[in-house]
Amino acid sequence: EVQLVESGGGLVKPGSSLKLSCVASGFTFSSYGMHWIRQAPKKGLEWIALIYYDSSNKYYADSVKGRFTISRDNSKNTLYLEMNSLRSEDTAMYYCAKFDWELGFDYWGQGVMVTVSS
Amino acid sequence: DIQMTQSPSVLSASVGDRVTLSCKASQNINKNLDWYQQKLGEAPKLLIYFTNNLQTGIPSRFSGSGSGTDYTLTISSLQPEDVATYFCFQYNSGWTFGGGTKLELK
């Protein structure tokens, strides 16, 4: 059974840093690109970052470019999102998702909440 | 960047109705479009991939169509469990979600 389990969220002050993790199981993690997607309270979904299966390419939404860094450790089946210079507008539920080029986002984590507030 | 516009933003319909949700891209996305369903308090779930392919386990009352810039998700006979917000997503150039359509029961 495929599982994606996020952790590392919480309440932080503006300007702070936070690192999210997503532990994958039930599939060959090292074969798939992985994404982070977020959803602000009562808002829609926002794609924020992609990392290729081998970390060779990384892409970011303009809203997080230069502040967030996506990475992965295939030996640990873990995806990361390092978030720096956090702003109130980064408050959201953050989801990791497995992307299959033939199927789309076929598996999602349960999400982890990040709240940026003074 | 490609913009995705969904309409309507809110749709009220009755059980048994045929329901059509629209998604319009700001440029041709070559059918590289998926549909996701998100129920309250849950993570999104893949319904349709590459415009018109039904994900395993999804009821056949869901279908997708479209080409170029215009895409549609259709529910042939609305069921109470279909109450959710539906998002389209393009991956032809960059990655962009539509703003969503909230589907309610009348």
Side-chain angles (χ1 to χ4, degrees):
Chain A
E1 179 194 4
V2 172
Q3 281 198 307
L4 297 170
V5 180
E6 301 99 333
S7 62
L11 171 62
V12 295
K13 295 187 184 326
S16 298
S17 298
L18 205 57
K19 188 171 184 177
L20 306 182
S21 299
C22 168
V23 177
S25 60
F27 68 102
T28 306
F29 180 73
S30 58
S31 296
Y32 291 92
M34 295 293 295
H35 295 243
W36 286 100
I37 295 152
R38 70 183 180 184
Q39 187 170 35
K42 299 192 186 301
K43 299 293 186 183
L45 299 170
E46 179 187 16
W47 174 85
I48 57 171
L50 155 68
I51 185 167
Y52 276 23
Y53 70 100
D54 59 356
S55 301
S56 59
N57 287 287
K58 303 175 185 181
Y59 300 93
Y60 300 92
D62 288 344
S63 58
V64 306
K65 199 174 296 182
R67 299 187 300 123
F68 289 12
T69 302
I70 190 171
S71 62
R72 64 192 297 160
D73 184 337
N74 285 345
S75 69
K76 296 182 178 179
N77 286 354
T78 303
L79 174 73
Y80 301 101
L81 185 69
E82 187 160 9
M83 305 183 292
N84 297 318
S85 303
L86 282 162
R87 306 166 179 167
S88 58
E89 55 264 37
D90 296 319
T91 294
M93 183 72 78
Y94 285 73
Y95 296 100
C96 63
K98 168 183 173 285
F99 189 77
D100 184 313
W101 280 105
E102 294 185 354
L103 295 177
F105 293 120
D106 53 349
Y107 291 97
W108 296 65
Q110 84 287 354
V112 61
M113 188 68 200
V114 173
T115 303
V116 184
S117 174
S118 55
Chain B
D1 292 2
I2 296 178
Q3 310 301 317
M4 304 299 292
T5 303
Q6 290 187 242
S7 60
S9 55
V10 180
L11 179 58
S12 295
S14 300
V15 173
D17 282 355
R18 182 180 181 86
V19 171
T20 300
L21 285 63
S22 295
C23 180
K24 187 173 182 67
S26 59
Q27 63 191 72
N28 181 7
I29 56 171
N30 298 302
K31 296 189 174 184
N32 290 306
L33 179 117
D34 301 330
W35 288 95
Y36 296 87
Q37 175 193 64
Q38 187 179 32
K39 295 183 178 180
L40 197 62
E42 297 182 5
K45 179 171 74 173
L46 175 65
L47 292 179
I48 302 280
Y49 60 95
F50 195 61
T51 294
N52 57 7
N53 295 276
L54 197 65
Q55 170 68 330
T56 302
I58 301 302
S60 59
R61 63 180 179 274
F62 290 92
S63 64
S65 64
S67 62
T69 61
D70 296 307
Y71 298 83
T72 298
L73 174 68
T74 299
I75 307 173
S76 60
S77 178
L78 185 66
Q79 300 302 304
E81 60 267 31
D82 300 335
V83 168
T85 301
Y86 293 83
F87 296 93
C88 61
F89 174 75
Q90 74 81 23
Y91 51 96
N92 184 72
S93 175
W95 298 269
T96 318
F97 284 96
T101 292
K102 185 177 182 180
L103 181 56
E104 302 173 336
L105 283 181
K106 194 179 290 184

